[in-house]
Amino acid sequence: MATTLLLGQTLSFDDNPFTAGLGAVRHHSTGAILLRDGMIVEVGDASDLRARHVDCTVVDHGDALLIAGFVDSHVHYPQTGIIASWGKRLIDWLETYTFPEEMRFGDADHAQLIAGMYFDFSLANGITSAASFCTIHPESVDAYFTAAQARGMRMIGGKVMMDRNAPEGLRDTAQTGYDQSKALLEKWHGVDRLGYAITPRFAPTSTPAQLQAAGALWAESPTCAMQTHLSEQREEIQWMKELYPDHPDYLSVYEQYGLTGAGAIMGHSIYLTEREITALAATGSGVAHCPTSNTFIGSGLCDVRGLMQRGIPIGLATDVGGGSSFSMLRTMAAAYEVGQLRGDSLHAAELLWLATQGAADTLRIGDKVGNLVAGREADITVLDLSSTPVIAQRAARADDIWGALFPTIMLGDDRAVRQVYVAGRPMMPAKGHQMLPD
Ligand code: GUN
Ligand code: ZN
């Protein structure tokens, strides 16, 4: 059986550093990862593994850092083309930029083109798994899963359900939203490494009847994920209150229709009441932290540590195209900056957890990906910790792995991603960032 030994520095987690501290992180400065059939078989010290496994292909990444592939817990692949659109806040940003672009995804050729770009950009940034919103069009879901399947990736996605407060041509109905979502989940959920997410966009764009249908579908297919948005902007919360006047708070709308629980991924979750935090924790619902989006569209500062301390699963997310970067390094830097504005300095280990195992747990794929440990799928990102002169000169002063990694978190981008393995398969050619879909 063909085995491969990857050499480099390695970082993995024995436990969550938010709760267990830095002792929960395992670092090998001369490490090795043994891969077989797309799985991680062993992680340890290079000299030990080399001595015991003489008969395998060796790929030496020098002093680069091998980490689990990044997991993006909330993204909109159809918004790839409108990333970095100027000057709006959530509701007028949706109307001005997002809805016109999403309207185009009824065209299967457009959906396929953008899906291909999305996967190339994500892989170039070391992202090996994500949960993405598609659009209301089934074609957008087929394009997404087809592209993910061609690349062998563990990806989650789903058709947006939206039956009000969206333009003509971008609305389904409670019944068609249910029927199309059901057909798509029967087609894609559990196929290869793909998983379906029931995807009501957010309370303001669904009638109660549609949320009810979404909840019914999730009850019928409980191994699916469920993704939506929660308490992102103050104007949005005000709008939700006008549409759902009988509810005490935003989360109670989702609770009423069976849209909370393990596998629920609540994007943003910035302005939560104590009752909502308690309910998220009690139901096992997860949160996607979207720091570049929350600053770019001017939403606010999510209390990541506070939610983590309450036992709520929480992961990092790009939220492209409200989010302003495909880079999980840039997204970690934004999470650090948001923490600073809250008076809370997130450690590099905590940022890395949020971008890997924390996000994987939020998506309920944390037993398969998110960490470099035996038995996980071999999704691995290789980081060059000296990818630019500025980073290199700063990292050269480092006393330990955290000092060496933090400059890449704060200053790095896709140039720092030297290689990315999907189920043990290298996705980048030796030089440059041209992707290899099959
Ligand atoms: N709320 C509802 N839809 C969206 C979206 O597409 N992006 C963001 N950031 N928030 C939303
Ligand atoms: Zn979003």
Side-chain angles (χ1 to χ4, degrees):
M1 223 178 291
T3 53
T4 305
L5 196 60
L6 306 183
L7 305 182
Q9 301 194 65
T10 59
L11 259 189
S12 53
F13 295 101
D14 292 340
D15 203 343
N16 181 345
F18 279 90
T19 49
L22 290 186
V25 189
R26 207 174 276 260
H27 172 235
H28 290 280
S29 52
T30 52
I33 309 173
L34 190 72
L35 311 182
R36 185 182 300 131
D37 295 336
M39 304 293 286
I40 297 174
V41 180
E42 212 178 327
V43 181
D45 197 64
S47 53
D48 173 38
L49 265 74
R50 287 195 83 154
R52 288 191 290 109
H53 301 280
V54 286
D55 219 14
C56 56
T57 309
V58 175
V59 181
D60 189 352
H61 285 290
D63 62 358
L65 180 68
L66 311 183
I67 57 172
F70 292 128
V71 178
D72 182 355
S73 61
H74 178 118
V75 62
H76 300 253
Y77 98 79
Q79 297 172 16
T80 297
I82 56 140
I83 190 171
S85 292
W86 184 84
K88 304 287 179 191
R89 289 175 62 81
L90 176 59
I91 295 165
D92 56 351
W93 174 84
L94 284 171
E95 285 164 0
T96 309
Y97 298 119
T98 311
F99 290 161
E101 177 63 16
E102 292 194 6
M103 202 94 79
R104 302 174 66 185
F105 282 72
D107 173 358
D109 290 340
H110 183 71
Q112 191 187 336
L113 176 76
I114 302 295
M117 283 170 59
Y118 163 76
F119 280 102
D120 287 354
F121 295 158
S122 290
L123 281 169
N125 282 287
I127 295 169
T128 50
S129 287
S132 181
F133 288 58
C134 300
T135 69
I136 66 147
H137 312 94
E139 293 86 347
S140 74
V141 181
D142 287 336
Y144 173 79
F145 281 130
T146 300
Q149 190 176 36
R151 291 160 177 79
M153 294 170 73
R154 181 164 290 289
M155 295 295 293
I156 292 171
K159 181 200 116 72
V160 162
M161 303 169 82
M162 186 158 58
D163 69 344
R164 66 169 163 177
N165 293 320
E168 179 68 35
L170 208 55
R171 289 191 305 268
D172 51 15
T173 67
Q175 190 63 49
T176 61
Y178 173 92
D179 291 343
Q180 292 173 341
S181 300
K182 187 175 168 67
L184 288 163
L185 84 80
E186 283 170 356
K187 181 172 178 182
W188 292 110
H189 185 57
V191 174
D192 294 340
R193 302 180 74 199
L194 310 176
Y196 195 83
I198 295 159
T199 309
R201 181 175 215 116
F202 64 158
T205 49
S206 285
T207 59
Q210 179 162 73
L211 293 184
Q212 179 130 38
L217 183 58
W218 198 24
E220 290 161 27
S221 310
T223 60
C224 290
M226 194 294 303
Q227 55 185 353
T228 189
H229 297 85
L230 174 68
S231 292
E232 178 178 1
Q233 267 192 14
R234 293 190 194 281
E235 301 95 305
E236 170 212 9
I237 297 168
Q238 188 52 41
W239 191 25
M240 178 284 304
K241 280 186 178 155
E242 290 159 18
L243 292 164
Y244 290 91
D246 298 336
H247 285 267
D249 53 44
Y250 202 150
L251 186 67
S252 74
V253 176
Y254 295 139
E255 282 178 284
Q256 170 165 350
Y257 298 110
L259 296 170
T260 52
I265 310 154
M266 304 290 178
H268 305 276
S269 304
I270 299 171
Y271 301 103
L272 300 178
T273 64
E274 174 54 33
R275 195 210 72 80
E276 289 176 299
I277 294 169
T278 303
L280 283 173
T283 56
S285 308
V287 164
H289 177 41
C290 312
T292 71
S293 172
N294 294 345
T295 51
F296 182 75
I297 344 187
S299 301
L301 310 176
C302 176
D303 181 10
V304 174
R305 190 181 300 280
L307 297 177
M308 186 72 88
Q309 282 167 347
R310 300 291 289 273
I312 295 166
I314 181 161
L316 202 59
T318 65
D319 192 30
V320 164
S324 55
S325 179
F326 278 95
S327 170
M328 282 300 263
L329 295 168
R330 174 72 200 109
T331 306
M332 290 156 82
Y336 177 77
E337 290 161 352
V338 165
Q340 288 293 86
L341 287 168
R342 295 189 58 89
D344 177 15
S345 305
L346 294 173
H347 192 274
E350 295 171 328
L351 295 167
L352 188 60
W353 172 271
L354 289 170
T356 55
Q357 185 70 61
D361 288 342
T362 306
L363 271 45
R364 281 200 299 185
I365 54 174
D367 57 335
K368 300 186 174 65
V369 297
N371 201 359
L372 294 185
V373 290
R376 298 291 175 94
E377 296 163 354
D379 289 355
I380 298 165
T381 288
V382 182
L383 292 180
D384 175 355
L385 299 183
S386 305
S387 61
T388 68
V390 174
I391 296 173
Q393 63 85 34
R394 183 66 186 92
R397 297 180 179 221
D399 296 325
D400 60 14
I401 182 61
W402 306 119
L405 175 58
F406 194 60
T408 288
I409 291 177
M410 293 310 300
L411 298 161
D413 53 27
D414 55 330
R415 289 169 291 178
V417 178
R418 197 183 274 177
Q419 183 54 278
V420 57
Y421 293 89
V422 169
R425 196 162 135 256
M427 299 300 282
M428 286 182 191
K431 286 208 165 62
H433 278 166
Q434 193 196 334
M435 294 298 135
L436 305 171
D438 36 46

